[in-house]
Amino acid sequence: MPNQPHDSWASVYDEAYTQSFGSLYTMLTKVSLEVIQEKTKLGSEILDIGAGTGRLSVPLAQSGYCLCAVDASAKMLDVLEKKDAKRQIKTIHCPVQKLDLNLTFDTVLCVFSVFCYLIELKELRAAIRSIARHTSDTGYALIDIPSSSSFSGLNYESETLSRHVDVTNLDPETGLFEYEENVRFIDDGKEFFYEDNFQIRCWDPEVILNEFETAGMNVREDVSERFWGSGANYYILGKTE
């Protein structure tokens, strides 16, 4: 599989996000875990799509849930596996649109802007069908859909970290953007430089929710208010009765 977004700086991804987003990043993780734990019986099987470095998978596994973590970036999963000292989490290197485990889960997570990395409608449609296929009839999926305000640049400087993010609008009609990131990280007096470049897309929530409806899932609950300030809408979806 070709290099994926964040592959080049997966090793410093956690530190970069923790520093540059601070309390917002902490809040987002805290609220996400609270919602999941409220809706999911302890010991249930959870599929974490776009799991990254294990922001949600690791604490959920430590709390007693059975986790399967999926990500298109092998480097991000490598970081997750290093955190998973007890080897509680099953990891799968695969893009969501190609995932087919022939299994269903009590809870399917697809949050933290996963849909933005799918820039073609056929990819989005395949991803949504995959989520529906892996959600049990009595289970649910938690998704987020970032708003257009999330598609903006970032400049952050500290003694140990420098992040410069440019987000360029390539096509206002389709919501296609170019994402370019330059990271400078200082560790034990040594400087490390990382670069990342890829395209992302701002999807209309109606498009995504309509595709879910076509795939046999509809919104059970809009929990966006609990994630106020995140720049995204959050929904809990279940199988159509």
Side-chain angles (χ1 to χ4, degrees):
M1 189 184 298
N3 287 345
Q4 296 295 310
H6 313 311
D7 270 354
S8 62
W9 55 293
S11 61
V12 298
Y13 179 93
D14 287 338
E15 182 65 23
Y17 268 80
T18 299
Q19 276 201 43
S20 57
F21 288 106
S23 60
L24 176 61
Y25 190 61
T26 302
M27 177 279 292
L28 184 59
T29 301
K30 178 176 180 292
V31 174
S32 298
L33 292 172
E34 288 175 350
V35 170
I36 296 162
Q37 291 169 335
E38 288 170 11
K39 306 290 183 180
T40 311
K41 183 179 178 181
L42 191 62
S44 297
E45 296 184 342
I46 297 177
L47 177 64
D48 187 5
I49 293 173
T53 61
R55 181 178 67 96
L56 300 179
S57 283
V58 171
L60 286 170
Q62 292 172 343
S63 297
Y65 295 94
C66 300
L67 266 294
C68 179
V70 177
D71 205 279
S73 169
K75 298 296 185 182
M76 296 283 274
L77 289 178
D78 286 344
V79 177
L80 184 156
E81 290 172 350
K82 289 177 182 178
K83 297 179 186 177
D84 183 28
K86 295 183 179 180
R87 298 293 184 267
Q88 296 173 294
I89 303 170
K90 180 180 180 180
T91 57
I92 298 175
H93 177 214
C94 180
V96 55
Q97 64 269 31
K98 294 183 179 180
L99 185 67
D100 192 358
L101 302 178
N102 196 29
L103 294 169
T104 59
F105 295 79
D106 304 299
T107 298
V108 177
L109 309 176
C110 189
V111 294
F112 214 43
S113 308
V114 175
F115 292 130
C116 295
Y117 298 93
L118 308 170
I119 60 175
E120 300 289 343
L121 180 59
K122 64 180 180 180
E123 293 180 331
L124 176 71
R125 185 169 291 152
I128 288 172
R129 288 176 178 172
S130 177
I131 292 170
R133 189 167 57 246
H134 290 93
T135 305
S136 71
D137 290 342
T138 57
Y140 74 92
L142 174 65
I143 69 166
D144 74 335
I145 306 175
S147 65
S148 57
S149 63
S150 301
F151 292 76
S152 56
L154 168 74
N155 284 291
Y156 175 83
E157 298 281 345
S158 74
E159 292 183 359
T160 58
L161 174 69
S162 172
R163 287 188 72 191
H164 180 73
V165 179
D166 286 318
V167 181
T168 306
N169 194 334
L170 299 178
D171 188 345
E173 186 174 339
T174 62
L176 188 66
F177 292 79
E178 184 83 10
Y179 181 102
E180 184 176 357
E181 171 133 17
N182 289 278
V183 179
R184 171 177 166 268
F185 188 72
I186 300 174
D187 184 24
D188 196 25
K190 297 180 181 179
E191 289 186 319
F192 300 89
F193 296 90
Y194 309 90
E195 296 180 354
D196 210 356
N197 181 264
F198 50 90
Q199 292 183 348
I200 52 177
R201 185 167 177 179
C202 179
W203 290 99
D204 185 331
E206 186 174 346
V207 171
I208 290 179
L209 296 180
N210 283 344
E211 289 294 339
F212 267 106
E213 187 173 351
T214 300
M217 299 186 74
N218 53 27
V219 175
R220 288 183 181 172
E221 190 176 353
D222 183 342
V223 291
S224 303
E225 285 190 2
R226 298 186 63 172
F227 295 87
W228 185 87
S230 67
N233 293 319
Y234 281 73
Y235 301 98
I236 291 173
L237 301 102
K239 292 291 182 71
T240 306
E241 296 179 358

